[in-house]
C-alpha cells in the first residue's frame, strides 16, 4: 500500500510538471527567438529603424513591390525578421517581424526569384533536449498518468469502482469473512425477526438438515419496518453469525444519470455473488430501485426501471443463482413492485415493528452493557416511560445520558441524567425558566388542568411529571405514562384523552374567565379535532353508525360499497360528520369544565407548589391529590404541550 501511494504521488507530480512545461513551451520558443534576434549580427539596428509586426500577406506585397532588402529565417522558418524600406515611411529602414504560416514551401523560391538576400538560423543544440521531452516523453507521461488515475478508483470520490473506467462495476462492499461486531445476542426487542434469521444461518451452516426433507433455501428476505427498528442491525448480525461472504450495497447506488449503468452494476454484483456462493447480498433501502414500474405522472424512470428489470431477472430468471440469499430492507413496502415481492424472489417478508415494553427492556439492557449505570436507575421504569421508542431512539437516550454524566463530571450515569435525557428527547432542550408573571401562572393552571382531568378519569393514563420549564417550542409540559402498551383503544379511553387534552383550556376558562382564554391551547385543539374526526370516520364511534368513511392510509372515502375519491362525500354526509365531531368535542369540554370546578381547591394548591419548584413528580402529585379527592384505580404515551 505504501509503494502504491509513492507511485501515485510520483505520477501526479510528473503530470503537473508536464503541464507546466507544455504551457511554457511556446513562451520558451518566443524567448529563444528574441534571444537569437538580439544576437543577430546580420541586421544592424540604429535610431532610425522602426520595429513592428507584419502579416504574411502584407509581407508578400512588400516582396512584390521590391521593398524587402534582407530576410532572416528562425525557428525552422516559422518566424522571419525582414529589413525593408518603403516610400510610405520616407524610405527609412524598418526591422519587421513576420510569422510564416505552415506549408509555405514556395517562400525560398520567391526570395530567390526577387534576388532577396536571406539567411536561415538553425535551432541551437541546447533546445533539442527540451523539444524532445516536450514533444515525446511528456505526452506519454501525461496519458499514462491519466490512465493510472482512471483505473485506480480510490482517487475518485465515492469509493470503490467510481472511476469512469469502471462505471458498470458493482459498488457493493465485499467481506469474505465479515466481522461486524454484532451478533444475535446484541439484538433485543425483535425476537420474531431474529428467529427468522437464525433459521437462515442454520440453513447456511447445515444445509443437509433441510434438503433431506426437500426444503430449499429462501432466495430473498425482505425486512419491513419503521426507521430505527433494527433492520440494518439484523443484516450485520446475520453477516457475522453465518460466516459466509457478505455483500452490502444501498439501493440508491444502482441508479445513475447514465442509462444502463444500474443494470450493469446489478449484473456485476450477482456475478461476483455467484462466484462466492453461498453468500448473502444485503440491499439497504431497496425501495430506491424497486419502486413500482409505470407509477407517477408521465410514466416511470427508464434507468430505474431497467435496473429493477435486471434485478428481477437475476433473482429469479432463466439463469438460476444458487446459494445467493438477498436480504432487502425498506420502510416503504407499499410502493414496491409486485413482481419483486412474489415468492421466488422475496420468499419471506419479515415485519420489524416498534418494540413493546419487554422488548424495550431488552434493548436497554443491551445498550447499558458498556455503560456505568447507577443503582438508582430502573431500566424497567425507563421502558415504561418510553412507549413508541425504536431501538435507535433508546440507544440515543442512553448515549445522551452518558454525555450528560460526563458534562456533570460524574463517573456513573444516575437517574437524574437518564430522566433529563428522556425529557430532552421527548420535549426538547430545556429553556430558561420564566419570571413569575401572569403568563407563568396561566401556564401553570393550564398544565395542572391537564394533570387533574387525566388523574380523576379511570380510563386515562397516570401522570408522570408536570413542569412549567420551557422545552423546545412548548412553554409547559405534562407527561402521561401507561402501565402497558395499548394497541387497541376503547371508546372510553379515546373520550378520556379528549377530555384531558381540553383540561388545560378548561382551567384557563374557569380560573381566568372567557375573555382571558389564550392561544396556548392551539396544539391541543388540533389533536382533539383530529381524534374526534377519526372516531367518526374511521372507528365508527358516532351516531352515523359503524361505517368506515375514510381509509387509514390514503384518506379515500367509502360509501355505499363504492369508493369516493378525496373528501367528496355523498349527499349531506359531510355535514353529519362535522355535526358528530362537534358533538363529541362539546361533550368532552363540558366534562373537563366540571372536573376543574369540582377540584378547584387542589388545583390552586398545586399551582402554588408548581410555581415554587417548577416541576412536580407524578407520585408527589398523586399524594397531594389523594388528600382532597378519591382517585380511581388506573389501568401511547401522551404529552400535552402548551405552545
Amino acid at each position: 500500500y505504501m509503494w502504491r501511494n509513492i507511485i501515485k504521488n510520483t505520477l501526479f507530480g510528473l503530470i503537473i510538471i508536464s503541464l507546466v512545461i507544455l504551457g511554457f513551451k511556446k513562451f520558451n520558443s518566443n524567448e529563444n527567438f528574441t534571444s537569437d534576434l538580439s544576437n543577430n549580427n546580420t541586421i544592424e539596428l540604429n535610431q532610425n529603424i522602426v520595429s513592428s509586426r507584419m502579416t504574411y500577406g502584407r509581407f508578400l506585397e512588400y516582396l512584390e513591390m521590391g521593398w524587402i532588402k534582407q530576410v532572416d529565417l528562425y525557428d525552422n522558418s516559422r518566424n522571419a525578421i525582414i529589413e525593408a524600406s518603403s516610400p510610405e515611411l520616407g524610405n527609412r529602414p524598418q526591422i519587421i517581424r513576420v510569422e510564416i504560416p505552415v506549408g509555405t514551401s514556395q517562400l525560398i523560391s520567391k526570395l530567390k526569384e526577387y534576388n532577396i538576400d536571406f539567411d536561415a538560423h538553425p535551432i541551437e543544440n541546447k533546445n533539442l533536449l527540451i523539444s524532445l521531452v516536450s514533444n515525446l516523453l511528456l505526452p506519454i507521461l501525461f496519458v499514462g498518468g491519466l490512465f493510472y488515475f482512471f483505473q485506480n478508483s480510490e482517487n475518485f470520490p465515492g469509493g470503490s469502482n467510481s472511476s469512469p473506467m469502471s462505471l458498470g462495476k458493482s459498488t457493493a462492499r465485499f467481506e469474505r469473512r465479515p466481522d461486524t461486531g454484532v451478533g444475535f445476542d446484541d439484538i433485543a426487542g425483535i425476537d420474531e425477526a431474529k428467529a427468522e434469521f437464525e433459521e437462515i444461518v442454520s440453513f447456511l451452516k447445515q444445509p443437509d438438515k433441510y434438503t433431506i426433507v426437500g426444503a430449499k433455501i429462501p432466495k430473498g428476505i425482505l425486512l419491513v419496518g419503521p426507521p430505527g427498528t433494527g433492520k440494518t442491525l439484523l443484516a450485520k448480525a446475520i453477516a457475522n453469525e453465518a460466516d459466509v461472504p457478505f455483500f452490502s450495497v444501498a439501493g440508491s447506488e444502482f441508479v445513475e444519470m447514465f442509462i444502463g449503468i444500474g443494470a450493469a452494476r446489478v449484473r456485476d454484483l450477482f456475478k461476483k455473488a455467484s462466484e462466492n456462493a453461498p453468500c448473502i447480498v444485503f440491499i439497504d433501502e431497496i425501495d430506491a430501485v424497486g419502486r413500482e414500474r409505470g407509477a407517477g405522472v408521465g410514466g416511470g424512470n427508464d434507468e430505474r426501471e431497467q435496473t429493477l428489470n435486471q434485478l428481477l431477472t437475476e433473482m429469479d430468471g432463466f439463469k438460476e443463482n444458487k446459494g445467493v440469499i438477498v436480504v432487502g430492507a425498506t420502510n416503504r413496502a407499499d410502493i414496491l413492485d409486485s413482481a419483486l415481492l412474489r415468492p421466488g424472489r422475496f420468499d419471506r417478508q419479515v415485519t420489524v415493528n416498534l418494540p413493546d415494553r419487554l422488548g424495550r427492556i431488552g434493548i436497554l439492557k443491551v445498550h447499558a452493557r458498556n455503560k456505568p449505570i447507577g443503582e438508582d436507575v430502573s431500566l424497567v421504569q425507563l421502558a415504561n416511560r418510553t412507549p413508541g421508542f425504536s431501538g435507535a431512539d433508546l440507544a440515543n437516550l442512553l448515549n445522551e445520558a452518558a454525555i450528560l454524566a460526563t458534562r456533570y463530571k460524574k463517573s456513573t450515569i444516575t437517574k437524574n441524567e437518564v430522566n433529563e435525557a428522556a425529557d430532552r428527547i421527548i420535549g426538547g432542550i430545556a429553556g430558561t425558566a420564566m419570571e413569575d408573571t401572569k403568563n407563568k401562572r396561566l401556564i401553570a393552571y393550564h398544565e395542572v388542568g391537564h394533570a387533574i382531568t387525566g388523574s380523576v378519569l379511570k380510563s386515562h393514563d397516570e401522570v408522570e411529571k408536570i413542569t412549567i420549564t420551557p422545552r423546545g417550542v412548548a412553554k409547559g409540559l405534562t407527561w402521561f405514562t401507561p402501565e402497558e402498551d395499548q394497541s387497541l383503544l376503547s371508546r372510553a379511553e379515546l373520550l378520556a384523552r379528549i377530555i384531558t387534552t381540553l383540561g388545560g383550556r378548561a382551567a384557563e376558562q374557569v380560573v381566568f374567565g372567557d375573555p382571558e382564554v389564550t392561544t396556548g391551547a392551539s396544539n391541543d385543539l388540533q389533536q382533539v379535532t383530529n381524534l374526534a374526526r377519526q372516531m367518526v370516520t374511521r372507528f365508527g364511534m358516532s351516531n352515523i353508525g359503524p361505517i368506515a368513511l375514510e381509509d387509514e392510509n390514503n384518506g379515500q372515502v367509502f360509501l355505499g360499497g363504492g369508493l369516493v375519491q378525496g373528501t367528496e362525500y355523498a349527499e349531506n354526509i359531510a355535514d353529519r360528520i362535522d355535526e358528530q365531531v362537534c358533538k363529541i368535542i362539546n361533550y368532552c369540554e363540558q366534562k373537563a369544565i366540571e372536573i376543574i370546578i369540582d377540584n378547584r381547591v387542589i388545583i390552586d394548591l398545586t399551582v402554588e407548589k408548581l410555581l415554587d419548584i417548577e416541576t412536580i413528580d407524578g407520585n408527589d402529585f398523586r399524594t397531594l391529590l389523594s388528600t382532597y379527592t378519591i382517585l380511581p384505580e388506573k389501568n401511547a404515551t401522551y404529552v400535552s404541550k402548551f405552545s
Side-chain angles (χ1 to χ4, degrees), residues 75-129:
D75 196 14
N76 288 333
S77 300
R78 285 184 293 178
N79 291 281
I81 297 297
I82 66 172
E83 180 183 358
S85 61
S86 64
E88 298 175 352
L89 295 178
N91 292 320
R92 288 185 299 169
Q94 296 175 265
I95 299 298
I96 306 173
R97 177 181 173 181
V98 179
E99 292 185 6
I100 309 300
V102 178
T104 55
S105 58
Q106 298 180 354
L107 177 61
I108 303 299
S109 301
K110 286 183 174 293
L111 294 176
K112 291 181 178 180
E113 180 182 351
Y114 290 98
N115 295 320
I116 303 299
D117 183 16
F118 66 92
D119 190 8
H121 300 272
I123 300 176
E124 297 185 7
N125 292 333
K126 64 180 180 180
N127 296 329
L128 290 178
L129 181 61

Side-chain angles (χ1 to χ4, degrees), residues 125-143:
N125 292 333
K126 64 180 180 180
N127 296 329
L128 290 178
L129 181 61
I130 296 178
S131 299
L132 178 62
V133 171
S134 62
N135 291 328
L136 181 61
L137 185 58
L138 290 181
I140 294 176
L141 289 175
F142 183 73
V143 174

Side-chain angles (χ1 to χ4, degrees), residues 272-522:
K272 293 178 180 177
S274 61
E275 292 172 353
N276 292 275
C279 67
I280 298 172
V281 175
F282 175 61
I283 305 177
D284 199 8
E285 303 297 341
I286 196 172
D287 51 276
V289 68
R291 188 183 297 265
E292 184 178 1
R293 290 167 291 184
V297 180
N301 181 284
D302 288 338
E303 167 62 5
R304 181 182 55 77
E305 291 189 1
Q306 285 189 23
T307 307
L308 174 58
N309 292 337
Q310 189 63 45
L311 179 62
L312 296 175
T313 303
E314 295 292 343
M315 289 189 67
D316 187 26
F318 189 79
K319 180 182 178 182
E320 185 177 5
N321 286 313
K322 295 182 179 180
V324 178
I325 300 177
V326 180
V327 180
T330 181
N331 48 27
R332 296 291 309 277
D334 55 306
I335 65 172
L336 294 180
D337 195 277
S338 57
L340 188 65
L341 299 177
R342 72 163 177 81
R345 291 194 173 110
F346 281 108
D347 302 281
R348 294 184 180 181
Q349 291 190 34
V350 179
T351 302
V352 186
N353 291 318
L354 293 172
D356 56 11
R357 187 176 66 87
L358 294 177
R360 292 194 298 275
I361 294 174
I363 293 172
L364 289 171
K365 288 181 179 179
V366 169
H367 292 294
R369 289 176 185 171
N370 59 345
K371 293 180 175 62
I373 303 295
E375 295 181 356
D376 59 340
V377 176
S378 173
L379 297 181
V380 175
Q381 183 179 1
L382 183 59
N384 291 338
R385 189 183 174 187
T386 54
F389 272 46
S390 65
D393 294 330
L394 295 172
N396 183 48
L397 191 154
L398 290 181
N399 184 63
E400 287 289 340
I403 293 174
L404 290 173
T406 305
R407 181 184 302 174
Y408 301 146
K409 296 180 173 58
K410 295 183 179 180
S411 58
T412 59
I413 302 173
T414 65
K415 182 178 180 180
N416 291 332
E417 286 78 56
V418 172
N419 289 337
E420 184 177 347
D423 295 345
R424 182 189 183 104
I425 293 175
I426 297 174
I429 301 176
T432 306
M434 298 180 61
E435 297 181 359
D436 191 4
T437 60
K438 176 183 176 182
N439 286 339
K440 185 176 182 180
R441 182 172 294 271
L442 188 145
I443 293 171
Y445 271 104
H446 184 101
E447 296 304 329
V448 172
H450 287 308
I452 289 290
T453 51
S455 297
V456 302
L457 293 172
K458 181 178 180 180
S459 300
H460 202 275
D461 306 321
E462 292 281 13
V463 175
E464 171 71 22
K465 182 186 294 186
I466 312 169
T467 181
I468 55 174
T469 301
R471 284 191 176 275
V473 298
K475 303 300 181 183
L477 291 168
T478 303
W479 275 274
F480 295 93
T481 303
E483 294 183 359
E484 60 182 13
D485 293 321
Q486 297 175 329
S487 57
L488 298 175
L489 296 174
S490 65
R491 189 173 189 273
E493 290 171 338
L494 293 174
L495 290 175
R497 287 192 177 188
I498 296 177
I499 294 172
T500 302
T501 307
L502 292 172
R505 190 175 188 274
E508 295 181 29
Q509 186 175 351
V510 171
V511 176
F512 298 97
D514 288 337
E516 297 298 323
V517 173
T518 68
T519 60
S522 60

Side-chain angles (χ1 to χ4, degrees), residues 13-26:
L14 290 175
I15 290 175
I16 297 299
I17 295 173
S18 301
L19 292 175
V20 171
I21 295 178
L22 290 174
F24 283 95
K25 180 182 176 183
K26 184 174 182 179

